Amino acid sequence: MRISELSRASGVPIPTIKFYLRERLLPPGERTAANQASYDAGHVRRLELIRVLVEVGGLGIGAVRGVLDAIGRSDASLHEVLAEAHRALRRADLSAPETLTATRAETDAWLEGRGWTLDPASPPRDELAATLLALRQLGWETGPEIFERYADAADALASAEVDHVAGIADREAAVRAMVIGTILFERALLALRRLAHEHHSRTSLNEAPDPSG
Amino acid sequence: MRISELSRASGVPIPTIKFYLRERLLPPGERTAANQASYDAGHVRRLELIRVLVEVGGLGIGAVRGVLDAIGRSDASLHEVLAEAHRALRRADLSAPETLTATRAETDAWLEGRGWTLDPASPPRDELAATLLALRQLGWETGPEIFERYADAADALASAEVDHVAGIADREAAVRAMVIGTILFERALLALRRLAHEHHSRTSLNEAPDPSG
């Protein structure tokens, strides 16, 4: 198909496609004339993936390249591709790493107590420690055990998600399912948590403050 | 305390504090001399809240103002403050609202089937519909029931969170717990989901592709 058809099929505007081609996020089409190239279903799928990474995941071009490179490494296991996607999705840290050291030791010990096997350098370890530190800076006097309930929920969801991906025979489809699933179901989970907040707070918290108070 | 002490106590640099004062996100201190004002513990707490909204929640100044205004409305119930915080936290939509209509009808019907009582205009409803639409555009042939597992997890977490907030007698403390909890435990939940992914994928997915494949 031509670039105009590729744009229609993927929902990505032509100038953006040309930018991705220049940045080599999208492989070139097959040259059919001096000034014309032909694209296929692989280009459509690649563009859809980039669109999710950019528009939903909020990734910059450098991070998108990191995820796509990991996907493209035919010697990488799905586990390694997932690790690369996590690195790319890492958010800006709330605190400088050195201020995190003591809190990291606490959250790391707590994670170890859960029996999870984790890389000592996994980026979400810092995220978790930074969250605990932020809670404490805001006056919450608590240890990592405050996350227990969230870890149980995350454990059940992740186990089902990994089982699903492990059941997909085609490698490209499995990689797509994993990266897309990480981003899109994350979005769904946050939307559902807020809806559930609304539902539960409607009954428990829907009273204006006591004017005599 | 002076502005330099306020800066030290809150971890927010003086120029940023002055900016918040000019933008009226922070109420003025008590004037003690022609060019000097005195700040109190309320200013420290307010700055810490702004810091979480900006640095962790990723909110712009306009959205921060929306949340702070809702918190400041003494006639608003906690439920209403939560709704305002959700509006402020809404992320950019993946799809234009008109393309969402058909999918929204499906996800709305599914949410109703769960028995949740929700405002018809709740922003996360669009988030959820946009996620389903994105999944389908990426070739996932599914209905809203794919979110069942996530809704169950969100329901259990939100119920416990709202119970916790409902048990806090002081209104200001309850509002802070709610807004901060929404943002910080969201961050913890995502970090834990990624760690759980890593743990589960290590065993199930940690094989390089079969070279004969």
Side-chain angles (χ1 to χ4, degrees), chain A residues 86-100:
Chain A
H86 283 182
R87 270 191 291 278
L89 287 169
R90 171 156 53 153
R91 293 213 268 161
D93 278 331
L94 179 64
S95 310
E98 57 273 23
T99 68
L100 274 185

Side-chain angles (χ1 to χ4, degrees), chain A residues 79 119 122 150 161 198 201, chain B residues 119 122 150 161 197-198 201:
Chain A
H79 175 71
D119 187 323
S122 267
Y150 301 85
E161 289 163 337
E198 182 189 334
S201 81
Chain B
D119 187 323
S122 268
Y150 300 86
E161 289 163 337
H197 268 169
E198 182 189 333
S201 80

Side-chain angles (χ1 to χ4, degrees), chain A residues 24-45:
Chain A
R24 299 189 183 283
L25 298 182
L26 193 65
E30 196 185 338
R31 185 63 61 95
T32 54
N35 198 16
Q36 203 167 302
S38 169
Y39 302 90
D40 60 23
H43 289 93
V44 176
R45 283 200 303 274

Side-chain angles (χ1 to χ4, degrees), chain A residues 7 12 20 25 31-32 40 46 79 84 92-93 97 110 130 132 136 195 202 211:
Chain A
S7 170
V12 177
Y20 292 156
L25 298 182
R31 185 63 61 95
T32 54
D40 60 23
R46 169 60 60 111
H79 175 71
E84 178 56 42
D93 278 331
W110 173 77
L132 180 59
R136 285 176 173 165
L195 290 169
R202 190 177 300 280

